[in-house]
């Protein structure tokens, strides 16, 4: 559509940052513009443009999800006090950045250990930003029904990935039913040594 508008508005010169790596459209717009006598120069600040669209380019070139790992650590390599009672090892600026990241990406994933230890919400607390889909890796379905994640599953899309072949079948079915009633989407993923297979989960 933008190619047609450029031609219609008789724009004489076009500068392109990075080419679309999607093989369905790559280079076609530039070719059409040039055929209409429009001067086109490509590769303007290409590296910066690729960085700006890194999620899109990663998917188009690899057909896999773009994953960002986030954790907070002290200078001496700790993520919590020995007692486990520490709340934050970061400052206000870092915490605001976390919420900007949550608003930028489509999903946020944690393990059941984080849910049991911190009872987090995993939503975005910045105005005008949409909260990501919450994904919990919980091979044995230990997530408490009264956790903030479960209690707000009707408000924020929530997926709990579990290892379908594990645990007592009757208890598992009861827990699954209770979670689904709260709005949790359950995803059975094969396990590897008792843990969710993350590569299969990503697919």
């Amino acid at each position: 559509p933008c190619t047609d508008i450029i031609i219609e508005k008789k724009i004489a010169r076009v500068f392109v940052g990075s080419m679309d790596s999607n093989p369905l459209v790559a280079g076609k717009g530039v070719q059409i513009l040039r055929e209409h006598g429009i001067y086109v120069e490509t590769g303007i600040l290409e590296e910066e443009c690729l960085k700006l669209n890194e999620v899109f380019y990663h998917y188009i070139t690899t057909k896999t999800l773009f994953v960002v790992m986030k954790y907070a650590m002290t200078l001496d390599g700790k993520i919590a006090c020995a007692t486990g009672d520490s709340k934050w090892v970061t400052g206000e600026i870092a915490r605001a950045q976390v919420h900007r990241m949550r608003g930028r990406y489509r999903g946020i994933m944690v393990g059941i250990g984080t849910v049991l230890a911190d009872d987090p919400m995993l939503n975005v607390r910045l105005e005008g930003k949409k909260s990501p889909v919450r994904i919990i890796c919980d091979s044995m379905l230990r997530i408490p029904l009264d956790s903030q994640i479960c209690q707000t599953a009707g408000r924020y899309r929530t997926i709990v990935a579990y290892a379908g072949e594990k645990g007592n079948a009757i208890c598992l079915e009861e827990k699954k039913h209770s979670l689904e009633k709260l709005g949790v989407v359950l995803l059975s993923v094969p396990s590897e040594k008792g843990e969710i297979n993350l590569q299969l989960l990503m697919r």
Side-chain angles (χ1 to χ4, degrees):
C2 56
T3 302
D4 296 336
I5 293 167
I6 289 167
I7 294 165
E8 182 191 319
K9 298 294 181 184
K10 296 183 170 50
I11 291 169
R13 299 196 301 161
V14 174
F15 298 89
V16 179
S18 58
M19 302 296 282
D20 193 332
S21 52
N22 184 341
L24 296 174
V25 296
K28 290 179 183 169
V30 168
Q31 184 185 334
I32 292 166
L33 292 176
R34 285 177 175 153
E35 285 169 359
H36 281 79
I38 295 168
Y39 172 83
V40 181
E41 191 174 330
T42 61
I44 308 297
L45 297 172
E46 185 171 21
E47 206 173 297
E48 290 87 341
C49 290
L50 288 170
K51 183 72 178 163
L52 189 66
N53 292 306
E54 64 181 338
V55 176
F56 170 77
Y57 285 117
H58 174 84
Y59 178 74
I60 287 296
T61 54
T62 68
K63 291 291 184 276
T64 60
L65 296 179
F66 182 87
V67 178
V68 175
M69 180 177 165
K70 174 266 166 193
Y71 64 98
M73 184 176 75
T74 59
L75 287 174
D76 60 349
K78 306 296 190 293
I79 61 168
C81 298
T83 57
D85 62 0
S86 52
K87 188 174 182 184
W88 290 313
V89 295
T90 56
E92 209 171 300
I93 294 170
R95 290 196 293 277
Q97 174 63 13
V98 165
H99 284 276
R100 283 193 292 274
M101 287 170 70
R102 288 183 188 181
R104 179 180 179 195
Y105 300 115
R106 288 278 293 119
I108 180 171
M109 183 170 73
V110 298
I112 185 60
T114 297
V115 176
L116 295 174
D118 300 339
D119 191 23
M121 277 280 285
L122 303 179
N123 63 337
V124 177
R125 291 184 281 281
L126 294 175
E127 203 173 324
K129 293 282 186 182
K130 188 178 178 185
S131 289
V133 176
R134 304 177 302 182
I135 305 153
I136 315 300
C137 290
D138 181 10
S139 56
M140 301 289 286
L141 279 186
R142 294 187 294 147
I143 189 166
L145 296 174
D146 62 354
S147 64
Q148 290 197 91
I149 292 286
C150 289
Q151 290 300 310
T152 57
R155 208 169 357 143
Y156 305 109
R157 183 164 161 75
T158 305
I159 298 170
V160 173
Y162 70 101
E165 71 276 16
K166 286 279 197 180
N168 181 303
I170 295 169
C171 294
L172 193 66
E173 286 308 311
E174 286 177 4
K175 185 71 175 273
K176 281 163 64 177
H177 181 68
S178 299
L179 288 167
E180 286 171 338
K181 269 179 69 176
L182 290 168
V184 173
V185 175
L186 293 167
L187 189 63
S188 175
V189 181
S191 66
E192 200 170 290
K193 296 177 184 170
E195 302 289 336
I196 298 289
N197 183 318
L198 292 180
Q199 287 190 327
L200 287 176
L201 175 59
M202 291 297 159
R203 285 206 291 275

